[in-house]
Amino acid sequence: MMLFRSRAAVCGAVVVFVVSVTFARSEAGGVHSSAVVDAASGDTIVGAASMYNPFKPGKLEGGPETASGERYDPDGWAAAIKIGLREKFGGVLFGARPKFALVEAVGKKVIVKINDVGPLVPGRIIDLNERTMRHFDPSLERGVISDVKVSPLAGDYWIPGPVS
């Protein structure tokens, strides 16, 4: 009887551990530590960022498909880089896998999927989708965020989202 209780206790402990690890990973939601992101960052570009949403009336940029061939998703963590910076961010070609970048502004950091390019307004280096812009400017009152740092990230294994 005592052996059965010991096995049940060990089994219960293992189940609790697995569930807690799974829960912790889901809670992280793609959050990377700053040390990992800083180590993976490439050359940083500094400039202004604005928001684009090709589905809102009155917007001239974009369309239903991004340069990578993906559909625009206002709820993802994505951005369009200036056409002149296309090569620095791995090409961003139609049908190719999107690239990733670390965007830093107003004391916050987020990893975005660079899946589009565009002829941005002069002085701007990146257009953020709606969710990403709300991360930096929750009320969307600024319209443009200056002194944004954008660093290309090597590899395809990044999970877009806020960085702790």
Side-chain angles (χ1 to χ4, degrees), residues 86-111:
R86 176 183 243 163
E87 290 308 313
K88 189 173 198 79
F89 286 85
V92 193
L93 302 172
F94 187 82
R97 289 182 62 104
K99 304 305 177 186
F100 296 91
L102 174 66
V103 179
E104 301 176 69
V106 298
K108 298 178 181 179
K109 296 178 184 182
V110 67
I111 293 174

Side-chain angles (χ1 to χ4, degrees), residues 19-104:
V19 169
S20 65
V21 168
T22 303
F23 181 76
R25 284 186 179 169
S26 69
E27 284 294 304
V31 176
H32 300 280
S33 74
S34 296
V36 171
V37 174
D38 290 342
S41 297
D43 298 321
T44 300
I45 302 161
V46 179
S50 55
M51 185 183 83
Y52 81 117
N53 184 341
F55 294 116
K56 286 195 173 179
K59 292 291 182 183
L60 299 176
E61 305 95 0
E65 284 191 348
T66 64
S68 70
E70 296 179 337
R71 297 191 65 72
Y72 175 85
D73 180 6
D75 296 321
W77 297 97
I81 199 73
K82 184 177 180 178
I83 288 175
L85 299 173
R86 176 183 243 163
E87 290 308 313
K88 189 173 198 79
F89 286 85
V92 193
L93 302 172
F94 187 82
R97 289 182 62 104
K99 304 305 177 186
F100 296 91
L102 174 66
V103 179
E104 301 176 69

